[in-house]
Amino acid sequence: MSLYKIRVAGLEDILQQDEIDLKELRNFCFYGIPDCSGLRSTCWKLLLGYLGPKRDTWSATLAKKRELYKQFIEEMVIPPGEQNGAACVDHPLSDGPESNWNTFFKDNEVLLQIDKDVRRLCPDISFFQQATEFPCESVVSHNRERKLHVRVAPSTLSSANVERKGLGMTKQINLITKRAIENYQAMDAGQEAHWEVVERILFLYAKLNPGQGYVQGMNEIIGPIYYVLASDPNVEYRQYAEADCFFCFTALMGEIRDFFIKTLDESEGGIKFMMARLSNMLKDKDPEVWNRLRDQELYPQYYSFRWLTLLLSQEFPLPDVLRIWDSVFADEKRYDFLVKVCCAMIILLREQILDNDFACNVKLLQNFPPMDIKVVLRKATSLD
């Protein structure tokens, strides 16, 4: 029997226990989850806390959460006046604080940015442009206004400003409807593309988390999670990938939300604190490279801000991102290992960094070159 088949059998044994040994599961998943039989989908749900360790609770948990998500769609996606077939209770031009229509149009300002971002999700694969086999019936079976992207078509909104609560050095960001020709297109009536499903999840997350809202970059966090869940060979899991993804994404954002809230940058869970930890680790593990970057005044925020905030989802092809996240999700000190991976990436470029000038090093670190992910993870694991 091949080593791969042995690992598959070993993980299946762990998952078939009446009560999953989470420590054993973490130890296994840290070294990579076999890419078959929906194993990664199940393991991520466990590692992110969406499912509990007792198998006999799974059915009830999933049924409850999926029904709750269905309610979210009914209450927050379907336009006022159409909810449960009720008549419109207030006028669309009303600007009163209690007006459902007033909320509807304010939501469109945030939705505009979400729509722009999800139309470019994971461009290295065609998955998000393809139709889901399980479109949301309460959306696609009614008029086009239930599709969120229709609400922010260029004829509806030309531009908008929203407050940015997290990423970036400025608080205001201009949103425009101009679309590049490579932007993903919407599906015909009765169908939905995967990116349209992700748009709905992010919109609901923003609605349910008003203190944080939607911040650019969240689309890059949710993309790999949705891909894993919507690719599950188990037809039932695929059918409810949208709801399951919402709760897995919410759980993950509960851990990294400080990265996306500017006022928490200096906190222990904030992005500046994480970048400082990376710098200190590099100084300890490779002082020569650290000194070179310091002398060039090439500070971590020039390159590692994106690495850490987006969990390296922009630096590697999707299959490599999934492999990195196996280890990150499995590590009990989850984001300690993320810092190690980032440090390993820098050290593996040490010869180039030591030879390059400032401009070349900025370009090198901001556009991490293709590299065997096994080499990166092996180096990261050695940084103890």
Side-chain angles (χ1 to χ4, degrees), residues 19 24 47 101 126 160 209 242 278 324 341 344 347 353 377:
E19 183 167 356
E24 184 182 18
L47 294 172
W101 281 107
S126 63
N209 294 273
E242 178 178 351
L278 172 58
I324 294 170
V341 175
I347 294 173
I353 290 172
L377 292 172

Side-chain angles (χ1 to χ4, degrees), residues 164 168 170 323 347:
R164 192 175 196 174
T170 61
R323 174 61 191 89
I347 294 173

